[in-house]
């Protein structure tokens, strides 16, 4: 009996705590957005900027050295005459 009363009391506390609580609703804040007005007149044209100073001219390069003529190659030997071999070239086919 002692435990049944304690058990019933705990069960009632849990049952009552599970009920919905009323939610607090906060009113929305009003935000005013500025509306752009008509376009204003066009501004004056700015003045032209100053011209820059021309750059320096580069120095002339050195002339290259003259190349060597080099040695002329040796003359080749005269070709030898053929032996008894005969070469036949067939005519081309149309």
């Amino acid at each position: 009996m002692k435990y049944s009363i304690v058990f019933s009391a705990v069960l009632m506390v849990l049952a009552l705590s599970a009920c919905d609580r009323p939610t607090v609703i906060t009113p929305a804040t009003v935000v005013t957005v500025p509306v752009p007005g008509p376009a204003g007149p066009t501004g004056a044209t700015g003045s032209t900027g100053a011209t820059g100073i021309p750059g320096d001219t580069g120095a002339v390069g050195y002339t290259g050295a003259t190349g060597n003529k080099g040695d002329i190659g040796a003359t080749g030997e005269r070709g030898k005459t053929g032996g008894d071999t005969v070469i036949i070239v067939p005519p081309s086919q149309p």
Side-chain angles (χ1 to χ4, degrees), residues 2 8 15 46-48 51-52 58 62 66-67 75 83 85 87 90 94:
K2 181 167 44 169
S8 298
S47 60
T48 305
T51 305
Y62 295 111
T66 305
T75 305
T85 307
I87 298 175

Side-chain angles (χ1 to χ4, degrees), residues 70-83:
D71 295 330
I72 297 176
T75 305
E77 294 182 20
R78 186 166 176 89
K80 298 180 182 179
T81 58

Side-chain angles (χ1 to χ4, degrees), residues 13-45:
V13 169
L14 290 176
L16 290 177
S17 66
C19 294
D20 287 336
R21 294 185 184 148
T23 56
V24 177
I25 299 173
T26 56
T29 57
V30 178
V31 178
T32 57
V33 178
V35 178
T42 305
T45 304

